[in-house]
Amino acid sequence: MGRTGVLLLNLGGPDSLADVRPFLYNLFSDPEIIRLPFRWLQKPLAWLIATRRAKTSEANYAQIGGGSPLREITEQQAQALQESLAQEGVTAKIYIGMRYWHPFTEAALAQIKADGIEELVILPLYPQFSISTSGSSFRLIESLWQEDSALQKIKYTIIPSWFNNRGYIQAMVALLRQELDQLPEPEKATIFFSAHGVPISYVTEEGDPYQAEIEACVHLIMQTLGRSNPHVLAYQSRVGPVEWLKPYTEDVIPELAASGVKELVVVPISFISEHIETLQEIDMEYRELAEESGIHTFRRVPALNTHPEFIAGLRDLVTTALEAPPYTFAQVTHPRKQFKLYPQERWEWGMTSAAEVWNGRLAMIGFIALLLELISGQGPLHMAGLL
Ligand SMILES: C=CC1=C(C)c2cc3[nH]c(cc4nc(cc5[nH]c(cc1n2)c(C)c5CCC(=O)O)C(CCC(=O)O)=C4C)c(C)c3C=C
Ligand SMILES: [Fe+2]
Ligand SMILES: [Fe+2]
């Protein structure tokens, strides 16, 4: 076996308050996060949205200590995974490639080349696949690969998603059980799975398997838990004007309270590390909403971070991937066309000269409307909270 590397992919988060705006700019510049029909509008709009959102976002990051803990936790996970692999006799160097902040995916790939890695496992730290997360990172890596003959020499394999991984499910269940068992009547609490949402069109129009994988994951956790607690699934962190996966977490909490529920145990289902959506959104915003709505017990299951069973699960994913035939970008991006990974392809394939004329006209109308809205401070984007 040649020199082996494991590339862990994640979103990244600002290290300090000064990083928040550029981090948001990177995030909204991604066509997998905001889908626009015109590429040239992406960067100006990203700049606008980032600038307008920065204040609220900075205030939220200030509430959790002035930055995201994601980098530090991911480094601890990398260290734990390296040790766990070594115990199984696998010597591998672990790299971290974040999508929107340091350490960037581009830097990780440069290091992988410099280290002479010959065999690489690409492992997203998102248990469930979404076009907006793992898909976005895969797309970036694929384009870097295509441009670089040195990267093309590396034998790589991708792990697209792993929501049903044994170690992951067992660790989730162990943490959930621990939380339930601290209640006087553990079997009475409602288990509230809160997943990060995505625009509903990703699922209904582009075939994003995210919702199906989240639902399957909830089912597996409840089955493994083996208790009869009532449970619900809702989606959090909606951004922007379009409809996202429903029901929304902020609607379900008061509805449950109105139906007489008094005890909630919240499971952050799409996150494996603590970050702003767990520490601020769930622990502060949703807790306050729950208390105002009349729920007297609101507990949140901690994120996995370096839970030993979870790390063992990651190790198993890596060792299995090293033994199996390689899983390539082509397989992830075009899995028998069951779902389309890259939504904006529609625009590229659909380009006809007539469409281009209309695209140009609509773009001008859109851009003028945007300028007017910026000058006047009023309009649909303001109403939707995007500007
Ligand atoms: C499974 C996880 C995630 C999905 C799916 C996802 C989709 C998605 N996110 C946004 C917009 C934002 N996300 C932000 C932060 C953020 N998102 C995830 C995970 C998923 N996102 C994480 C782990 C984090 C936090 C990183 C950290 O700092 O610790 C933010 C920034 C924070 C804020 O201002 O609220 C935005 C904005 C969209 C639009 C989207 C799907 C299209
Ligand atoms: Fe997000
Ligand atoms: Fe949020």
PDB file of all heavy atoms in Angstrom, residues 11 27 33 100 132-133 196-197 237 239 244 271 275 277, ligand 2:
ATOM      1  N   LEU A  11     -17.919  22.192   6.461  1.00  0.00           N
ATOM      2  CA  LEU A  11     -18.343  23.495   5.967  1.00  0.00           C
ATOM      3  C   LEU A  11     -17.352  24.601   6.316  1.00  0.00           C
ATOM      4  O   LEU A  11     -17.096  25.508   5.541  1.00  0.00           O
ATOM      5  CB  LEU A  11     -19.715  23.774   6.590  1.00  0.00           C
ATOM      6  CG  LEU A  11     -20.478  24.965   6.106  1.00  0.00           C
ATOM      7  CD1 LEU A  11     -21.801  24.526   5.500  1.00  0.00           C
ATOM      8  CD2 LEU A  11     -20.738  25.918   7.246  1.00  0.00           C
ATOM      9  N   LEU A  27     -19.704  31.591   1.416  1.00  0.00           N
ATOM     10  CA  LEU A  27     -20.844  30.674   1.449  1.00  0.00           C
ATOM     11  C   LEU A  27     -21.881  31.047   0.378  1.00  0.00           C
ATOM     12  O   LEU A  27     -22.314  30.201  -0.416  1.00  0.00           O
ATOM     13  CB  LEU A  27     -21.455  30.709   2.849  1.00  0.00           C
ATOM     14  CG  LEU A  27     -22.538  29.695   3.184  1.00  0.00           C
ATOM     15  CD1 LEU A  27     -22.263  29.094   4.570  1.00  0.00           C
ATOM     16  CD2 LEU A  27     -23.907  30.298   3.215  1.00  0.00           C
ATOM     17  N   ILE A  33     -25.471  26.822  -2.902  1.00  0.00           N
ATOM     18  CA  ILE A  33     -26.170  27.401  -1.741  1.00  0.00           C
ATOM     19  C   ILE A  33     -27.242  28.380  -2.206  1.00  0.00           C
ATOM     20  O   ILE A  33     -28.368  28.360  -1.739  1.00  0.00           O
ATOM     21  CB  ILE A  33     -25.154  28.073  -0.782  1.00  0.00           C
ATOM     22  CG1 ILE A  33     -24.310  27.007  -0.064  1.00  0.00           C
ATOM     23  CG2 ILE A  33     -25.835  28.977   0.227  1.00  0.00           C
ATOM     24  CD1 ILE A  33     -24.996  26.258   1.070  1.00  0.00           C
ATOM     25  N   TYR A 100     -15.856  26.713   3.165  1.00  0.00           N
ATOM     26  CA  TYR A 100     -15.988  28.179   3.126  1.00  0.00           C
ATOM     27  C   TYR A 100     -15.029  28.935   4.041  1.00  0.00           C
ATOM     28  O   TYR A 100     -15.103  30.157   4.128  1.00  0.00           O
ATOM     29  CB  TYR A 100     -17.435  28.603   3.468  1.00  0.00           C
ATOM     30  CG  TYR A 100     -18.461  27.884   2.637  1.00  0.00           C
ATOM     31  CD1 TYR A 100     -19.407  27.046   3.226  1.00  0.00           C
ATOM     32  CD2 TYR A 100     -18.472  28.019   1.249  1.00  0.00           C
ATOM     33  CE1 TYR A 100     -20.340  26.377   2.455  1.00  0.00           C
ATOM     34  CE2 TYR A 100     -19.401  27.339   0.471  1.00  0.00           C
ATOM     35  CZ  TYR A 100     -20.320  26.517   1.084  1.00  0.00           C
ATOM     36  OH  TYR A 100     -21.234  25.847   0.315  1.00  0.00           O
ATOM     37  N   SER A 132     -26.220  20.669  -1.227  1.00  0.00           N
ATOM     38  CA  SER A 132     -25.681  21.919  -0.678  1.00  0.00           C
ATOM     39  C   SER A 132     -24.451  21.709   0.210  1.00  0.00           C
ATOM     40  O   SER A 132     -23.774  22.683   0.535  1.00  0.00           O
ATOM     41  CB  SER A 132     -26.768  22.632   0.131  1.00  0.00           C
ATOM     42  OG  SER A 132     -27.235  21.788   1.174  1.00  0.00           O
ATOM     43  N   THR A 133     -24.173  20.483   0.618  1.00  0.00           N
ATOM     44  CA  THR A 133     -23.043  20.267   1.545  1.00  0.00           C
ATOM     45  C   THR A 133     -21.985  19.358   0.910  1.00  0.00           C
ATOM     46  O   THR A 133     -21.071  19.841   0.257  1.00  0.00           O
ATOM     47  CB  THR A 133     -23.556  19.712   2.888  1.00  0.00           C
ATOM     48  OG1 THR A 133     -24.345  18.542   2.641  1.00  0.00           O
ATOM     49  CG2 THR A 133     -24.372  20.742   3.643  1.00  0.00           C
ATOM     50  N   HIS A 196     -30.848  20.287   9.905  1.00  0.00           N
ATOM     51  CA  HIS A 196     -30.650  21.509   9.119  1.00  0.00           C
ATOM     52  C   HIS A 196     -31.510  21.380   7.864  1.00  0.00           C
ATOM     53  O   HIS A 196     -31.512  20.337   7.221  1.00  0.00           O
ATOM     54  CB  HIS A 196     -29.177  21.636   8.749  1.00  0.00           C
ATOM     55  CG  HIS A 196     -28.780  23.017   8.319  1.00  0.00           C
ATOM     56  ND1 HIS A 196     -29.336  23.633   7.234  1.00  0.00           N
ATOM     57  CD2 HIS A 196     -27.891  23.890   8.832  1.00  0.00           C
ATOM     58  CE1 HIS A 196     -28.791  24.844   7.097  1.00  0.00           C
ATOM     59  NE2 HIS A 196     -27.909  25.020   8.067  1.00  0.00           N
ATOM     60  N   GLY A 197     -32.248  22.437   7.538  1.00  0.00           N
ATOM     61  CA  GLY A 197     -33.105  22.375   6.360  1.00  0.00           C
ATOM     62  C   GLY A 197     -32.365  22.656   5.065  1.00  0.00           C
ATOM     63  O   GLY A 197     -31.187  23.068   5.073  1.00  0.00           O
ATOM     64  N   SER A 237     -33.004  26.402  10.743  1.00  0.00           N
ATOM     65  CA  SER A 237     -31.999  27.271  10.108  1.00  0.00           C
ATOM     66  C   SER A 237     -32.356  27.764   8.714  1.00  0.00           C
ATOM     67  O   SER A 237     -31.479  27.975   7.890  1.00  0.00           O
ATOM     68  CB  SER A 237     -30.626  26.578  10.017  1.00  0.00           C
ATOM     69  OG  SER A 237     -30.289  25.948  11.196  1.00  0.00           O
ATOM     70  N   VAL A 239     -32.926  29.982   5.642  1.00  0.00           N
ATOM     71  CA  VAL A 239     -32.369  31.265   5.205  1.00  0.00           C
ATOM     72  C   VAL A 239     -33.037  31.626   3.881  1.00  0.00           C
ATOM     73  O   VAL A 239     -33.127  30.776   3.012  1.00  0.00           O
ATOM     74  CB  VAL A 239     -30.843  31.156   4.935  1.00  0.00           C
ATOM     75  CG1 VAL A 239     -30.243  32.518   4.638  1.00  0.00           C
ATOM     76  CG2 VAL A 239     -30.104  30.477   6.077  1.00  0.00           C
ATOM     77  N   TRP A 244     -38.544  25.973   2.364  1.00  0.00           N
ATOM     78  CA  TRP A 244     -37.583  24.916   2.724  1.00  0.00           C
ATOM     79  C   TRP A 244     -38.358  23.683   3.158  1.00  0.00           C
ATOM     80  O   TRP A 244     -39.592  23.698   3.207  1.00  0.00           O
ATOM     81  CB  TRP A 244     -36.641  25.403   3.845  1.00  0.00           C
ATOM     82  CG  TRP A 244     -35.514  26.271   3.347  1.00  0.00           C
ATOM     83  CD1 TRP A 244     -35.573  27.204   2.341  1.00  0.00           C
ATOM     84  CD2 TRP A 244     -34.153  26.289   3.824  1.00  0.00           C
ATOM     85  NE1 TRP A 244     -34.330  27.791   2.172  1.00  0.00           N
ATOM     86  CE2 TRP A 244     -33.460  27.258   3.065  1.00  0.00           C
ATOM     87  CE3 TRP A 244     -33.459  25.589   4.813  1.00  0.00           C
ATOM     88  CZ2 TRP A 244     -32.088  27.537   3.269  1.00  0.00           C
ATOM     89  CZ3 TRP A 244     -32.108  25.863   5.024  1.00  0.00           C
ATOM     90  CH2 TRP A 244     -31.435  26.828   4.248  1.00  0.00           C
ATOM     91  N   PHE A 271     -25.902  17.264  12.343  1.00  0.00           N
ATOM     92  CA  PHE A 271     -24.615  17.832  12.754  1.00  0.00           C
ATOM     93  C   PHE A 271     -23.848  16.805  13.589  1.00  0.00           C
ATOM     94  O   PHE A 271     -24.415  16.205  14.476  1.00  0.00           O
ATOM     95  CB  PHE A 271     -24.822  19.068  13.628  1.00  0.00           C
ATOM     96  CG  PHE A 271     -25.813  20.039  13.062  1.00  0.00           C
ATOM     97  CD1 PHE A 271     -26.921  20.397  13.787  1.00  0.00           C
ATOM     98  CD2 PHE A 271     -25.613  20.596  11.819  1.00  0.00           C
ATOM     99  CE1 PHE A 271     -27.839  21.305  13.274  1.00  0.00           C
ATOM    100  CE2 PHE A 271     -26.521  21.500  11.293  1.00  0.00           C
ATOM    101  CZ  PHE A 271     -27.636  21.862  12.025  1.00  0.00           C
ATOM    102  N   HIS A 275     -21.590  23.560  16.902  1.00  0.00           N
ATOM    103  CA  HIS A 275     -21.320  24.764  16.110  1.00  0.00           C
ATOM    104  C   HIS A 275     -22.466  25.725  16.338  1.00  0.00           C
ATOM    105  O   HIS A 275     -23.304  25.489  17.205  1.00  0.00           O
ATOM    106  CB  HIS A 275     -21.116  24.409  14.639  1.00  0.00           C
ATOM    107  CG  HIS A 275     -22.328  23.817  14.024  1.00  0.00           C
ATOM    108  ND1 HIS A 275     -22.643  22.500  14.167  1.00  0.00           N
ATOM    109  CD2 HIS A 275     -23.316  24.381  13.329  1.00  0.00           C
ATOM    110  CE1 HIS A 275     -23.787  22.275  13.555  1.00  0.00           C
ATOM    111  NE2 HIS A 275     -24.221  23.414  13.053  1.00  0.00           N
ATOM    112  N   GLU A 277     -25.289  26.376  14.993  1.00  0.00           N
ATOM    113  CA  GLU A 277     -26.695  25.950  14.936  1.00  0.00           C
ATOM    114  C   GLU A 277     -27.105  25.146  16.168  1.00  0.00           C
ATOM    115  O   GLU A 277     -28.283  25.091  16.500  1.00  0.00           O
ATOM    116  CB  GLU A 277     -26.965  25.113  13.665  1.00  0.00           C
ATOM    117  CG  GLU A 277     -26.347  25.625  12.392  1.00  0.00           C
ATOM    118  CD  GLU A 277     -27.016  26.860  11.789  1.00  0.00           C
ATOM    119  OE1 GLU A 277     -27.908  27.442  12.431  1.00  0.00           O
ATOM    120  OE2 GLU A 277     -26.623  27.243  10.678  1.00  0.00           O
TER     121      GLU A 277
HETATM  122 FE    FE B   2     -25.985  25.860   6.668  1.00  0.00          FE
END
